[in-house]
Amino acid sequence: MAGKTVITFGTFDVFHVGHVRVLNRSAALGDRLVVGVSSDQLNFAKKGRNPVFSQEERLEIVANVKAVDAVFIEESLEQKRDYVLEHQASILVMGDDWSGKFDYLNDICEVVYLPRTPSVSTTAIIEHIVGNS
Ligand code: C2G
């Protein structure tokens, strides 16, 4: 496959500007951007709550972002190596809340952590809507 493939992962629930920025910045690091969208089950395991939007809805939203070339469902955090190899990615991008956590994949790809957009999060949006802040 010609060019550099970038891969990134996330839940992308209640899609917001922090999400679109990390996707744009990820895409700018290569020629093709592939995104693993966390399954509902993985999200529940990580965060202890169900996402607002289902995995099919989140997948559809992310697939329709201009910077994104391909999407798939991420079933487990432990399968990162398989996903990187399967999609022939040469760069793995994660938000810096995961800093250092995926350095062990350095043998098969470059691992880049990007700073999060300040003051926006799915949790804050949900709290705002329910009137807690
Ligand atoms: N993000 C950001 N700025 C924010 C919020 C999120 O840059 N204010 C980024 C995160 O750093 C991540 C992406 O947007 O790169 C998706 O964020 P989440 O949906 O919160 O992703 P997460 O649940 O951490 O899932 O395999 C790892 C997981 O799937 C990552």
Side-chain angles (χ1 to χ4, degrees):
M1 196 182 299
K4 244 189 201 180
T5 296
V6 181
I7 193 165
T8 192
F9 296 85
T11 309
F12 302 102
D13 191 26
V14 189
F15 197 88
H16 58 64
V17 72
H19 294 146
V20 86
R21 286 184 189 162
V22 79
L23 293 174
N24 285 339
R25 285 183 290 156
S26 299
L29 298 175
D31 303 301
R32 182 170 173 270
L33 177 63
V34 180
V35 184
V37 175
S38 300
S39 69
D40 290 340
Q41 208 185 356
L42 174 56
N43 188 257
F44 192 85
K46 279 192 305 192
K47 302 190 179 167
R49 64 168 162 79
N50 283 123
V52 173
F53 294 125
S54 71
Q55 61 189 45
E56 291 77 20
E57 291 167 331
R58 292 182 285 109
L59 195 75
E60 186 177 338
I61 290 166
V62 174
N64 281 282
V65 171
K66 211 196 298 174
V68 174
D69 296 290
V71 291
F72 65 96
I73 292 288
E74 177 192 27
E75 302 285 356
S76 115
L77 296 180
E78 287 72 47
Q79 280 171 252
K80 283 249 170 6
R81 180 175 296 273
D82 299 334
Y83 295 134
V84 168
L85 293 172
E86 185 184 329
H87 295 280
Q88 300 180 17
S90 48
I91 308 182
L92 167 65
V93 178
M94 298 296 298
D96 63 2
D97 42 330
W98 293 89
S99 227
K101 295 251 165 50
F102 296 104
D103 288 354
Y104 66 90
L105 294 170
N106 260 325
D107 58 334
I108 53 166
C109 63
E110 186 184 339
V111 183
V112 175
Y113 302 96
L114 292 179
R116 289 168 64 92
T117 299
S119 330
V120 57
S121 73
T122 299
T123 308
I125 294 167
I126 294 169
E127 284 171 2
H128 180 81
I129 292 168
V130 299
N132 289 339
S133 61

